[in-house]
């Protein structure tokens, strides 16, 4: 099926599909039209839900605007399940939420399996839970699939050939054709589009599964722009600088103050999260770069990087943190209500607790609010 998707630049990874969520904010029809005409995007997969309670607030508008732009539409659910019963319950929740948001019957509704809950399970348990979710979601008329990282595929769960949507980001994209036997390969999380703000997840489609089970009929109006933009995207590499060398340094230590965990060893790199005081960090390498001493933390889908202070400092630099004010979550609370009560944005509140705004919070949980 891969031959169906050969584009103008077969040696480069293609931007066939974009996935979006509340993190991208409101996306207009014009933005999706630009993605189609100037970048060759054929399909968009939108976040529908997470766990058993979170509904993405932009799902309905994303679905409507993607369809208005003439692109194929699909959805995904961020899985939090750890048992078969929870998987079935989350599938029912995702199916109902997708129906309410307008996701058409026949679209893919994938389960996004990359949470700590899944990381704590055995491969056999994850396989059982994923199968339960996918069987249940099909009852709503949706086609099922699994999204996960390359490091988890066939390690933390089984991903058979001719199935699966796999995320793995090479240092140099051009010339790569990873996971060609799976439905899709997500090769970047930082792709840029001309009239859209921020970075986006983009994937190459290797089958017709995410284009309604048929050869794509989506045609860009500017093939020259598609070719140029595709080449430009493939040149956005994340190769480590040659001017500094990483050294092995396997250590574990506890943070005494909150520290930003970043996507690269640079203060200009995007923040993955803010690790709160008390977090135990296990690192495998260190480097002196840009006047700072950085360490690398292995993560399930790659690495995170945190600065330990000026170049002369060691891992033990971490200063005593300021006294924090905590709030205990009560029944009925949400990120929004707690943030509003404490004069914070939802993003700030979640970040300073090492979470995202779509992480489920539970009664009795303590959150840093000051």
């Amino acid at each position: 099926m891969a031959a169906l998707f050969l584009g103008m630049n077969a040696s480069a990874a293609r931007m066939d599909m974009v996935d979006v969520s509340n993190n991208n904010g409101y996306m207009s029809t014009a933005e999706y039209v630009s993605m189609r005409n100037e970048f060759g995007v054929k399909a968009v997969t939108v976040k529908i839900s997470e766990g058993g309670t979170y509904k993405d607030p932009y799902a309905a508008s994303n679905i409507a605007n993607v369809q208005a732009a003439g692109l194929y539409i699909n959805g995904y659910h961020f899985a939090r399940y750890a048992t078969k019963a929870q998987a079935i319950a989350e599938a029912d929740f995702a199916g109902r939420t997708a129906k309410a948001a307008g996701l058409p019957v026949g679209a893919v509704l994938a389960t996004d399996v990359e949470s700590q809950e899944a990381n704590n399970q055995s491969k056999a348990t994850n396989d059982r839970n994923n199968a339960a979710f996918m069987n249940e979601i099909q009852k709503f008329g949706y086609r099922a699939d699994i999204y996960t990282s390359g490091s988890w595929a066939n390690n933390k769960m089984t991903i058979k050939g001719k199935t699966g949507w796999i995320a793995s980001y090479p240092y140099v994209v051009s010339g790569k054709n990873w996971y060609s036997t799976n439905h899709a390969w997500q090769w970047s999380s930082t792709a840029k589009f001309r009239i859209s703000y921020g970075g986006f997840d983009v994937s190459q489609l290797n089958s017709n599964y995410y284009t309604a089970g048929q050869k794509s009929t989506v045609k860009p109006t500017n093939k020259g722009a598609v070719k140029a933009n595709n080449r430009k995207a493939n040149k956005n590499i994340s190769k480590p600088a040659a001017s500094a060398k990483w050294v092995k340094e396997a250590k574990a230590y506890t943070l005494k103050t909150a520290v930003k965990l970043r996507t690269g060893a640079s203060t200009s790199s995007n923040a993955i999260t803010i690790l709160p005081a008390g977090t135990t960090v296990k690192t495998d390498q260190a480097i002196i770069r840009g006047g700072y001493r950085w360490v690398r933390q292995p993560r399930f889908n790659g690495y995170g990087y945190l600065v330990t202070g000026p170049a002369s400092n060691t891992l033990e630099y971490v200063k005593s943190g300021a006294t924090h004010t905590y709030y205990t979550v009560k029944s009925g609370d949400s990120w929004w209500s707690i943030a509003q009560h404490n004069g914070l944005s939802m993003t700030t509140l979640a970040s300073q607790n090492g979470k995202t705004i779509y992480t489920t919070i539970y009664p009795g949980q303590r959150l840093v609010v000051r």
Side-chain angles (χ1 to χ4, degrees):
M1 289 295 186
L4 296 176
F5 291 91
L6 289 177
M8 279 67 71
N9 190 12
S11 65
R14 301 182 307 277
M15 295 181 280
D16 294 326
M17 184 168 72
V18 177
D19 55 281
V20 297
S21 71
N22 58 293
N23 288 329
N24 301 106
Y26 176 79
M27 297 286 295
S28 67
T29 299
E31 289 177 277
Y32 290 123
V33 169
S34 173
M35 290 178 178
R36 180 196 71 197
N37 289 339
E38 301 173 48
F39 296 83
V41 173
K42 301 175 175 67
V44 178
T45 299
V46 308
K47 183 173 183 177
I48 299 295
S49 51
E50 178 175 342
T53 59
Y54 180 80
K55 301 177 182 180
D56 192 297
Y58 295 101
S61 63
N62 277 326
I63 291 168
N65 293 344
V66 166
Q67 291 179 301
L71 296 167
Y72 295 97
I73 183 69
N74 301 288
Y76 75 90
H77 168 81
F78 191 96
R80 291 289 181 182
Y81 48 74
T83 67
K84 181 179 178 180
Q86 290 172 349
I88 293 172
E90 287 193 24
D92 288 336
F93 173 68
R96 293 192 302 270
T97 304
K99 290 281 188 183
L103 188 69
V105 168
V108 175
L109 207 172
T111 178
D112 177 351
V113 188
E114 54 179 314
S115 69
Q116 188 59 46
E117 289 88 343
N119 192 34
N120 292 337
Q121 309 308 314
S122 67
K123 181 179 179 182
T125 298
N126 282 329
D127 285 346
R128 180 198 64 192
N129 295 345
N130 291 341
F133 180 96
M134 292 191 291
N135 288 336
E136 190 71 14
I137 206 67
Q138 290 177 74
K139 296 178 182 178
F140 292 85
Y142 298 123
R143 291 178 296 130
D145 202 13
I146 301 173
Y147 168 93
T148 195
S149 68
S151 62
W152 278 30
N154 297 313
N155 290 311
K156 296 297 296 183
M157 68 199 74
T158 301
I159 304 293
K160 297 179 181 178
K162 298 183 180 179
T163 70
W165 172 19
I166 311 300
S168 188
Y169 311 142
Y171 282 134
V172 181
V173 180
S174 186
K176 303 295 192 302
N177 189 28
W178 293 1
Y179 301 100
S180 60
T181 62
N182 299 105
H183 287 319
W185 166 39
Q186 186 185 91
W187 54 269
S188 177
S189 61
T190 57
K192 305 293 184 182
F193 293 99
R194 185 176 64 83
I195 65 172
S196 298
Y197 175 78
F200 289 81
D201 298 336
V202 293
S203 300
Q204 175 171 290
L205 297 178
N206 299 315
S207 76
N208 57 23
Y209 196 67
Y210 283 85
T211 57
Q214 61 189 12
K215 182 178 179 179
S216 174
T217 58
V218 175
K219 304 296 181 184
T221 59
N222 191 337
K223 293 182 179 180
V226 171
K227 186 175 181 179
N229 287 325
N230 180 246
R231 286 176 175 170
K232 182 178 179 180
N234 275 255
K235 289 180 180 178
N236 286 334
I237 62 175
S238 54
K239 210 174 200 178
S243 58
K245 293 183 179 180
W246 287 93
V247 296
K248 290 184 179 180
E249 188 173 72
K251 290 193 177 184
Y253 62 102
T254 301
L255 295 177
K256 294 181 181 178
T257 187
V259 177
K260 286 185 178 180
L261 185 69
R262 298 183 180 274
T263 57
S266 169
T267 54
S268 62
S269 296
N270 292 332
I272 298 172
T273 187
I274 296 179
L275 302 175
T279 301
T280 297
V281 178
K282 293 182 179 180
T283 64
D284 66 345
Q285 294 190 12
I287 195 171
I288 303 298
R289 178 178 292 172
Y292 293 97
R293 189 175 189 282
W294 294 84
V295 291
R296 188 176 77 170
Q297 179 198 42
R299 293 166 62 82
F300 73 89
N301 60 346
Y303 297 97
Y305 302 83
L306 58 155
V307 66
T308 66
S312 60
N313 283 4
T314 64
L315 283 172
E316 287 70 35
Y317 93 99
V318 186
K319 299 175 182 178
S320 298
T323 301
H324 291 296
T325 300
Y326 292 88
Y327 174 82
T328 301
V329 179
K330 301 178 179 62
S331 179
D333 279 340
S334 65
W335 286 116
W336 183 86
S337 64
I338 298 171
Q340 287 291 304
H341 182 72
N342 291 280
L344 302 169
S345 70
M346 288 194 297
T347 301
T348 298
L349 175 63
S351 294
Q352 69 189 24
N353 284 278
K355 303 181 186 302
T356 67
I357 61 174
Y358 44 85
T359 300
T360 303
I361 54 177
Y362 302 96
Q365 188 173 353
R366 290 212 314 162
L367 298 178
V368 175
V369 293
R370 290 286 187 278

